[in-house]
């Protein structure tokens, strides 16, 4: 994939927002009380909540690093396309993977701002993933050998 200036700028800007949003969600919104509240809402035993919190934060850390990788797109390295796309598709699945009870508990504890970072990062990752796929398909239709189609 040849990084056009527009898709490169969009990817870097989204990556900045996603790093900040994921870090905010991971360390300011998600805490032991929120996890215990979400487990109670689900009817699950809260004894495993510290383990669940640790696993959830580990996943968040992986996405922080993956989103930070998107910042390197600024340097136009072609090999970054697939890892950046993979992390964004993975984060987009957060819309389906994160249990509703976690969002409900976040709303109860923090109000609507408690789910805003998750909505922005996961929803934004859906949009960025689609934009990257469209840019990839368009870049494969070359006007001349080696020149990408302008977006």
């Amino acid at each position: 994939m040849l990084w056009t200036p527009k898709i490169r700028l969009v990817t870097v800007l989204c990556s900045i927002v996603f790093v900040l949003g994921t870090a905010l969600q991971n360390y300011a919104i998600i805490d032991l009380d929120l996890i215990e509240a979400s487990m109670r809402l689900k009817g699950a035993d809260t004894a495993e909540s510290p383990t669940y919190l640790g696993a959830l934060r580990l996943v968040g850390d992986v996405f922080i690093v993956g989103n930070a990788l998107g910042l390197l797109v600024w340097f136009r390295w072609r090999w970054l396309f697939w890892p950046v796309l993979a992390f964004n598709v993975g984060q987009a699945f957060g819309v389906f993977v994160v249990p509703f009870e976690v969002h409900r508990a976040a709303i109860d504890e923090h109000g609507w701002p408690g789910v805003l970072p998750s909505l922005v990062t996961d929803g934004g990752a859906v949009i960025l993933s689609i934009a990257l796929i469209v840019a990839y398909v368009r870049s494969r239709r070359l006007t001349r050998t080696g020149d990408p189609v302008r977006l």
Side-chain angles (χ1 to χ4, degrees), residues 13-99:
L13 291 176
C14 285
S15 295
I16 291 168
V17 171
F18 297 166
V19 165
L20 295 174
T22 304
L24 180 65
Q25 183 74 17
N26 209 27
Y27 293 104
I29 304 293
I30 302 291
D31 60 9
L32 191 56
D33 292 336
L34 187 132
I35 295 301
E36 288 175 349
S38 69
M39 292 177 98
R40 280 192 296 277
L41 285 170
K42 193 167 188 164
D45 182 24
T46 60
E48 295 297 319
S49 56
T51 305
Y52 186 71
L53 176 62
L56 193 59
R57 284 207 170 137
L58 179 63
V59 169
D61 290 341
V62 168
F63 281 109
I64 290 169
V65 170
N67 288 322
L69 192 62
L71 300 172
L72 297 175
V73 166
W74 190 255
F75 299 109
R76 297 186 197 120
W77 296 331
R78 288 183 181 190
W79 64 270
L80 284 171
F81 176 78
W82 295 108
V84 167
L85 179 61
F87 273 106
N88 279 286
V89 168
Q91 189 149 15
F93 275 106
V95 173
F96 306 106
V97 174
V98 175

